[in-house]
Amino acid sequence: MRVTPKIDYTGVFAALPSPCLVLSTDLVIADANWAFCEVTGRSRAELLGQYLFDAFPDNPADAEADGVATLKASLHRVLSSGQTDHMALQKYDIPVAGNPEVFKERWWTAINVPVLGPGGKVAWIIHRSEDMTDVVRARRTAHLPSVSPGREAAMEAELYARARQLQQLNEELRQAHARERRIAVALQEAMLHSPDLARHPNIAVRYLPATGSLNVCGDWYDAVDLPADRFTVAVGDVVGHGLMAATVMGRLRSALSAATRTVHGPAQALEVLGLYARSVEGALAATAVQVLVDCHSQLLIYSSAGHPPPVLLHPDSSCELLDRATDPPLGARPEHVPRPQANKTYTPGDTLILYTDGLIERRGEDIDVGLTRLTDMLATCAEFGAEHLADALLARLGLASGADDDIAIVVVRLDRTTRPY
């Protein structure tokens, strides 16, 4: 049996040929390797414990110096996003060793890399830099046969100006994307807000947009309290991603919520929603399922419009699919046809799970395989509370960080305290 030798990571870091710093999240220098000390003319003892920008301030003699602002912005992007940030060529003069009032010209490229802690948050930042000063100076002094010295200087200035413009444009794009994402998140939160959910401590919901989306999608969930110890839970799915799908989702969700309060049972509510969907562009292939929970009679009344079946998980780890009232998607029929509805009794300790197809479907795989995977996993979680089960669903199916499709989940722990307060 081969024994893997223990690696001295401190020694590895010290020996790296590229100048590197380890920074804390408050941008204090925690470590500096030999290459960094050599290129800056500082000893490791001088640097450790210093705030980065106290150790390396802007050159006060350079009115256009912006090295501190540019590097600080990059480091804060790493802290907020948890992503590596590459920096363009920049001029960042450094103090002369032993004479901090005097600065020497330096040009750098840099990469700032997050080191994540156990909770997934940034714990440290590795700042790796390359001193490009000799390259810049060489270009200034090298005279290509076809280029005059004056033209060479103009080309150098143009190259630097374009690099700075590119960096500024990248920053503007980041800010624009951040604004768009904040708007999208606020929109999604407003559309998914369900005041009745606050009265149900035994209901857990999860919402994950498709990986790479703006944090908005066409999947949704809802809960509506009704008289006589009854309430409904529902999930739905609009085809597509992004703001357009989210807009359609918001309209359908609101329509179903209103219908639920005025008609008798999920089948009639989905009939009304289907009629409405025909007048909403992008809603014809939308699906939805609703379950009415009657706490007094311990009865589940459900209906589905083209949606994957809810699962009823029993304390003995067995699962039942609520699949006896399945119908085509909301806008599939050109003429009105009453939708089916079915009943199922439950016992305290059962758990009801509603979800969208992103939880079970995989490309090139039959949906029955996904359903079996789901029920097999649920069989190991029969004793979990709603919140624990919702997290376990995503983690054990490998979806905690998102998937190719949107996901919405509602988990209802059906015990004697399930009724709304």
Side-chain angles (χ1 to χ4, degrees), residues 13 19-37 39-57 71 75 79 92 94-95 112 123-129:
F13 174 76
C20 292
L21 290 176
V22 177
L23 302 173
S24 66
T25 54
D26 54 358
L27 307 185
V28 170
I29 299 172
D31 206 349
N33 70 351
W34 177 86
F36 188 91
C37 294
V39 79
T40 59
R42 305 288 190 89
S43 70
R44 185 169 174 271
E46 287 180 280
L47 294 173
L48 297 193
Q50 280 214 67
Y51 178 58
L52 177 62
F53 300 111
D54 286 343
F56 299 102
L71 177 55
L75 295 171
L79 290 171
Y92 194 151
I94 61 173
N112 297 308
W124 306 96
I125 299 176
I126 297 175
H127 170 71
R128 195 196 81 185
S129 56

Side-chain angles (χ1 to χ4, degrees), residues 3-22:
V3 178
T4 303
K6 185 177 180 180
I7 298 174
D8 178 8
Y9 287 103
T10 302
V12 171
F13 174 76
L16 288 173
S18 294
C20 292
L21 290 176
V22 177

